[in-house]
Amino acid sequence: MSRNEIRYALTDRRELVTVGAAIAALVPISGSAFAASRHSHSAKRKTRTDKTFETAAVLRDLWVGHIFWVREVSITTIEKRDDAAKIAEQQAVTNARSIAATIEPFYGAAAKDTFFKLLAGHYGAVKAYLMATVANDAAKQGTATQSLTSNAEEIAGFLSKANPHLPKDAVNNLLLAHGGHHIQQIQELKDRKYEAEAHTWEEMKNHIYQIADATADALAKQFADRFS
């Protein structure tokens, strides 16, 4: 992803400055959270098994589905197309269930259910920020941003306890940057800055690929016998 800092179009809203700046500041380091260097990419490809690549591909597809359907919820909500927004939200929830289900073969049904609840919390915070933006309510935007921040830490804590190859701080940084992308995208869509939003989409997609790949690599390390 690009290493330019996320810049919000909210600088005149003091209630979001502190948290927004904190999220933005994480973006430059998030791209390297799980990789020592881009120069090691070729070596990583040589050491990855076919099973690891397949797992990463599945996770990439599911996580792109997440940002796609959340974007659809944002667009249809801003445009007040309620029927379309309802369908998009249903798809976003279905997608979250699918993402949560990917960990069940490794950690069990209870872990899957917990992960889904955490993903639902992530979506709920993004939706709350969306609704606050549509209503031009800076206070509620601030509350939603705080929820995104705390939810990222909860997810990071959950995943790091399950897998020692997913360090909490690194996962938290990645998720905070992901939340920052959602915030930036919503604001750009609301302000009809479509060219900027197209650039944000590319950053979101590349960043979500990093999350998917990091998860696949961590699973391959923890469950080496299943990925040989």
Side-chain angles (χ1 to χ4, degrees):
M1 66 177 285
S2 168
R3 290 181 179 270
N4 293 327
E5 291 188 353
I6 290 178
R7 298 184 181 276
Y8 301 112
L10 300 172
T11 53
D12 60 333
R13 299 173 188 179
R14 294 183 179 179
E15 292 169 81
L16 286 181
V17 169
T18 301
V19 177
I23 291 176
L26 292 170
V27 176
I29 65 173
S30 64
S32 59
F34 286 94
S37 166
R38 289 187 178 183
H39 296 296
S40 66
H41 182 66
S42 295
K44 181 178 286 187
R45 289 186 63 86
K46 292 179 181 178
T47 59
R48 274 180 173 173
T49 65
D50 289 342
K51 178 65 174 177
T52 307
F53 276 115
E54 291 170 5
T55 301
V58 170
L59 291 173
R60 281 188 174 204
D61 184 64
L62 287 172
W63 278 107
V64 167
H66 163 67
I67 60 174
F68 174 83
W69 287 115
V70 172
R71 182 178 185 272
E72 285 297 298
V73 171
S74 299
I75 291 172
T76 52
T77 299
I78 290 168
E79 295 178 352
K80 301 186 187 306
R81 293 189 283 126
D82 295 343
D83 289 346
K86 181 179 179 181
I87 296 300
E89 182 161 273
Q90 290 173 351
Q91 292 298 317
V93 173
T94 297
N95 170 265
R97 291 190 183 280
S98 296
I99 293 173
T102 63
I103 73 169
E104 183 174 8
F106 303 98
Y107 306 114
K112 175 198 68 175
D113 292 341
T114 298
F115 194 26
F116 173 70
K117 291 178 182 178
L118 291 169
L119 292 173
H122 168 72
Y123 174 76
V126 174
K127 178 70 178 295
Y129 185 87
L130 170 65
M131 300 308 293
T133 300
V134 172
N136 295 312
D137 191 325
K140 288 186 178 180
Q141 283 178 317
T143 300
T145 304
Q146 291 283 3
S147 294
L148 265 176
T149 302
S150 59
N151 174 261
E153 185 172 4
E154 289 176 7
I155 293 177
F158 169 74
L159 292 177
S160 65
K161 287 180 181 178
N163 190 319
H165 304 290
L166 291 172
K168 182 178 178 180
D169 287 346
V171 176
N172 190 46
N173 288 352
L174 285 172
L175 293 174
L176 285 174
H178 171 62
H181 280 139
H182 278 305
I183 288 174
Q184 181 172 343
Q185 182 181 63
I186 289 169
Q187 195 63 48
E188 288 168 348
L189 290 170
K190 173 65 163 52
D191 295 339
R192 299 185 179 183
K193 295 181 178 179
Y194 300 123
E195 185 174 353
E197 191 275 328
H199 179 69
T200 298
W201 169 260
E202 285 301 311
E203 288 191 340
M204 292 181 77
K205 183 180 68 175
N206 291 333
H207 184 70
I208 216 71
Y209 284 170
Q210 292 175 12
I211 292 175
D213 291 353
T215 304
D217 288 338
L219 287 171
K221 289 177 181 178
Q222 187 179 23
F223 301 96
D225 57 326
R226 301 194 196 185
F227 286 83
S228 59

